[in-house]
Amino acid sequence: MVVLKDLTKEELYAPGHRLCAGCGPSISIRMALKAARGPIAAVNATGCVEVSTTIFPYTAWRIPWIHALFENTAAVASGLEYAYDALEKRGARKGKVDIIAIGGDGGTFDIGIQALSGMLERGHDIVYLCYDNEAYMNTGIQRSGATPRGAATTTTPAGRVIPGKREWKKDFAGICAAHGISYVATASIGFFSDYMDKMKKAIEVDGPAVIHVLTPCPLGWRSNPADTIKLAKVAVQTGLFPIYEVINGKYKMSMKPGTLLPIEEYFKLQGRFSHLLKPELKDELEAIKKGAEANYKRILGLAGEPVTTQ
Amino acid sequence: MYRKKGKFTGEGVIPYSGEGSTVTIEGAAVCTQTGCAYTGNEAVAYAAKQCNVDVVSAYPITPQTIIVERFSEYVANGEVDTKFLAVESEHSAMSACVGASLGGARVFTSTASQGLALMHEVLYLASGLRCPIVMAVVNRALSAPINIHGDQSDMMGSRDCGWIQLFAENAQESYDLTIQAFKIAEDKGVHLPVSVNLDGFTVSHATESMKACADEDVHKFLPPRESLFKVDPTTPISVGGMALPEYYYEFKRQQEEALQLSKLFVNRVGKEYGKMTGRRYGYLRTYGLEDADAAVISLGSTCGNVRSVARTLRAKGKKVGAIKLWMYRPFPREELFSAIKDLKALAVMDRAISFGAPQGALCSDIAATLLNTGSDIKILNMIYGLGGRDIPPSTINTVFTDTLRAAKTGKVKERINYLDVRE
Ligand SMILES: Cc1ncc(C[n+]2csc(CCOP(=O)(O)OP(=O)(O)O)c2C)c(N)n1
């Protein structure tokens, strides 16, 4: 297990970038790079992290880093991996490079899922890291396939008739696991040790691995920047964002299921859910509670745990 | 900052000497070549094989598929060391090429039509990130309606994407230009992607006799790629970051400068290749322009037909000529102008419609070439061959007749002529 005092002091992700105070994705990147075991290279999709860390002529990356486009990160990383292999074969370079492909939830769940699926199916030795702030934040908080039901975004506003997003969050980990890859994990920056352990495992795996990490966004979630880590914890503790691993197809919960916190504890910290706490939307809140519970139980079931939320 | 001043010397304009189809170069043809019969697609695949490509990433589409299939066979049979990446789309094919090229690898791909259209945003990425990727484009019509046959709408739709664009007339040129393309692209003075265009079916699927170099000669001509920069832990650079209004424009201006200057390398490589094989390449090939009043300019396979009709007409005493454009981007403005300036009329063959534009794409470029030169050459624009419609010698004969008439009368009847179409 990763403990604080063992963490490297080396910062491969330099301070001074332009991400917001309390930015969850930024924290997730810093932690991920601290889990590196040796030389790494990153390919980063268009999104908040990319636009805010490399505004020319500056860069926050002390590793080789490529930004290509929004939806092709997994494909660019695939090509890079093959280049390293080919050059090694003809004696033009030496040594393993761990490649990490990084995308937001929009670049991953939605527009980039085809390229990712291809990368997983072809078995590239790449870690795909999806930082999930549950909307397209860079373009101003639009819904994605990762936005949870009920959340207000600029394309799913909490209106007089429609109370925020109607659809459930995609089962992204399930989709990745269905490719038959050997390592998939969900994680939260609220549990840094667990997240970094998973990152390390993902790097060690031969072949593709996927980490889906929850990263609150104060701007998009309309939360206090000081609450980012707290939110990342409560999301897990309410059962809304279960953290688990899928190792060679076998699900394993990362935290023993205990008593779940009421969802309201999570919602009340964020403006994007505030409408759901109004009495007139009681039924919608109930529906979300039911859905979240069913999803949590589904995963407990897959992990072979007793299916109880009490 | 990169500008090289200097007068135009007529370099890169290669006349056909006499009736033969190859240029004889003194002291040339030092390498032994084997006669063989290949289709355009096979010729390209064979050239890529001889070029010791590190990574190929591609996706099948008619009429390009055979290139991918042939290459897969080379890989499966252990005839090449290439890492072959059979991706899930053309968007990913070009994206993987960008990743591999930035990693320092020699990279090749090929596509056509919808595949090129799907790659569109990645084409700009490849040139903007200065990736010396080589891509064969087997020119095919674009949907809708769907049509798998040859025309040049696909590449014309991407003509301003920052790539060097070469057009081959036949299998031999497809082979020759593919080998040259790597040397041009990877030169540290260029570092830009190159597309080698061959007409769907007419070139891609027709078996022709041609000559191929020995592997060793190609290897000598094209040593392994040495990258100017690469994304590697030994040099932890950031590539593709964000450039705001205070920098973006300079990046783009420098890219344009690099593309314009790349023509010097296209010519230099064409000369070097000529020394090796006896087949000298450059920007354009002229026939009969010494005394022609009227000429026809075209790209790709049509050039052969045009030249053949011109030959017949010249035998009858008509003062006609033909121009084949090998290099479409960067557009060889000065060289083309010097070649056509004494003509009275020029027909420009466009195998694509630029919807809503005043003329076809090639014609617009030629009109721009003549702009402010005081030239009074009459320009006739011919749109032809869309969706694989045949372009028989009789049609080309009509084109020459019209062009000769314009040369004589100084009058052009139609702004655009749509050849052989039912209206
Ligand atoms: C092909 C394409 N479509 C749309 C965009 C505009 N765009 C840039 S970033 C972005 C949203 C990114 O969302 P996400 O992946 O969730 O990352 P985040 O911004 O939240 O970090 C969008 C829609 C683009 N760059 N490219």
Side-chain angles (χ1 to χ4, degrees), chain B residues 8-13 263-264 267 283-284 286 327 331-341 369:
Chain B
F8 163 70
T9 55
E11 282 274 302
V13 179
K263 86 175 184 188
L264 302 173
N267 185 40
Y283 311 137
L284 51 116
T286 60
M327 183 181 79
F331 198 77
R333 203 165 43 85
E334 294 92 339
E335 294 78 5
L336 180 66
F337 180 70
S338 78
I340 63 175
K341 65 178 185 327
T369 298

Side-chain angles (χ1 to χ4, degrees), chain A residues 18 39-41 50-51 54-57 59 61-69 71-72 75-80 82-87 89-90 92-93 97 114-115 118-119 122 124, chain B residues 54-55 81-89 91-92 95-96 98-100 102-106 121-122 125 129 224-225 230-233 235-244 247 251:
Chain A
R18 302 182 200 190
I40 46 176
E50 165 269 324
V51 301
T54 63
I55 298 177
F56 190 82
T59 179
W61 301 85
R62 293 186 173 127
I63 56 169
W65 178 94
I66 301 172
H67 162 246
L69 296 167
E71 69 281 47
N72 67 352
V76 175
S78 302
L80 187 63
Y82 269 38
Y84 290 155
D85 274 6
L87 294 185
K89 223 157 71 183
R90 71 160 154 93
R93 79 170 309 284
V97 183
Q114 174 182 316
M119 181 199 112
R122 293 188 301 268
H124 293 273
Chain B
D54 294 313
V55 177
D81 278 340
T82 310
K83 295 279 290 180
F84 182 77
L85 193 43
V87 284
E88 82 298 330
S89 74
H91 196 283
S92 284
S95 298
V98 167
L102 289 174
R106 171 168 297 157
E121 68 163 344
V122 202
L125 183 79
L129 295 183
R225 178 181 170 203
K230 58 184 164 189
V231 173
D232 192 283
T235 50
I237 52 169
S238 293
V239 174
M242 183 155 195
L244 291 172
Y247 286 105
F251 276 109

Side-chain angles (χ1 to χ4, degrees), chain B residues 377-415:
Chain B
I377 307 172
K378 300 296 159 212
I379 302 293
L380 294 79
N381 193 188
M382 308 289 171
I383 307 283
Y384 76 100
L386 296 197
R389 175 135 321 163
D390 198 20
I391 174 87
S394 54
T395 301
I396 293 171
N397 202 60
T398 321
V399 171
F400 271 113
T401 310
D402 289 352
T403 315
L404 278 167
R405 189 181 312 117
K408 197 164 155 201
T409 62
K411 289 202 173 69
V412 177
K413 264 209 313 230
E414 299 281 350
R415 183 177 56 87

